[in-house]
DNA sequence: TCTGTATATGCATTGACAGGAATATTCGAC
DNA sequence: GTCGAATATTCCTGTCAATGCATATACAGA
């Protein structure tokens, strides 16, 4: 998870990932599409690869880089654990709990006096 | 998006977010739970706040920090755009496209000869 | 108003990392 | 095996950000 965030926390790497969403690309195409220098592209791709975000397949002297599903899927799943923050179903549950808490407070007050 | 990744690309900040998943917490509680020094907690919370990931509500001299839904939901949604990478429904579509491509290639060959 | 508690900020140090330029490697074509 | 195209690596430099420590601010209570 951390590794994924770290890899994506760099503007050009994020752009590369967004580009690769449309399919595998050789280094040169990435370089042209994003107006980067070739060495920087290679370096960013290295980082992305080490983070497991991309895979390479050699095609003659070219290297086709493609997105890997796993880390992104894992991230997606991780966020599911936070769904309660915005999901209505859970907001209803919140209200339910709030109600229960209200009653509880009242009970406590009654006991105190 | 980038801002969210940047904010979460730091181990202790990620831990803070994961802790806050269980509900709002004052600074001191975070500090104790994660064994950090109070100033660093405040600083990390500042970054998280500037990234829109948390909100604060003063409670006397305490500050309750709580997660905000929006950036995480946005991230979740962003990942939906990559779902095709792992979603079976889309894999089937891939196969379909691959089939079409095969046929196309054959057509091209026929035209050439 | 003084005190203690909770939190924030300032400053100095340090390490990580991105960019640029030059160079190295790989591999197919001839 | 030489050449050129595609890609990777190295070295250098500057910048940014995390940490530790010290200190400042905010606020409640006596």
């Amino acid at each position: 998870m951390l590794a994924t965030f770290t890899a994506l926390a760099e503007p050009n790497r994020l752009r590369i990932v967004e580009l690769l969403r449309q399919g595998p690309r050789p280094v040169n195409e990435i370089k042209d599409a994003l107006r980067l220098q070739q060495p920087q592209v290679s370096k960013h791709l290295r980082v992305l690869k080490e983070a497991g975000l991309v895979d390479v397949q050699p095609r003659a002297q070219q290297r086709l880089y493609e997105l890997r599903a796993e880390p992104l899927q894992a991230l997606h799943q991780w966020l599911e654990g936070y769904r309660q923050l915005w999901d209505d179903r859970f907001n209803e549950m919140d209200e339910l709990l709030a109600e229960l808490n209200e009653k509880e407070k009242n009970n406590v007050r009654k006991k105190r006096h």
Side-chain angles (χ1 to χ4, degrees), chain A:
Chain A
M1 201 71 353
L2 220 198
T4 305
F5 285 129
T6 307
L8 296 177
E10 207 282 331
N12 289 322
R13 275 197 300 267
L14 187 54
R15 291 171 69 207
I16 292 179
V17 167
E18 282 173 331
L19 176 65
L20 290 184
R21 187 157 89 83
Q22 291 153 194
R25 296 275 186 284
V27 179
N28 255 321
E29 209 168 316
I30 301 175
K31 150 186 168 288
D32 291 338
L34 306 186
R35 307 282 196 99
L36 294 174
Q37 306 204 251
Q38 178 269 317
Q40 332 298 340
V41 175
S42 282
K43 286 182 215 171
H44 284 310
L45 285 169
R46 165 124 95 134
V47 175
L48 290 173
K49 178 144 173 278
E50 278 165 358
L53 277 161
V54 300
D55 239 351
V56 210
Q57 336 174 204
R59 284 270 183 287
Q61 69 276 49
Q62 287 195 153
R63 312 277 156 120
L64 280 195
Y65 281 87
E66 68 179 353
L67 278 184
R68 284 191 57 227
E70 300 183 30
L72 294 171
Q73 184 177 11
L75 187 48
H76 189 262
Q77 204 131 345
W78 181 78
L79 286 163
E80 288 290 334
Y82 292 81
R83 180 184 276 281
Q84 46 179 116
L85 286 180
W86 64 81
D87 202 337
D88 281 340
R89 275 181 303 163
F90 286 92
N91 288 335
E92 284 163 24
M93 174 120 48
D94 276 356
E95 285 164 30
L96 211 94
L97 288 176
E99 252 179 70
L100 288 179
N101 271 330
E102 273 310 306
K103 286 177 188 167
E104 188 55 30
K105 246 191 283 180
N106 290 338
N107 286 342
V108 171
R109 258 181 223 138
K110 278 173 196 164
K111 279 177 194 165
R112 278 210 186 115
H113 291 239

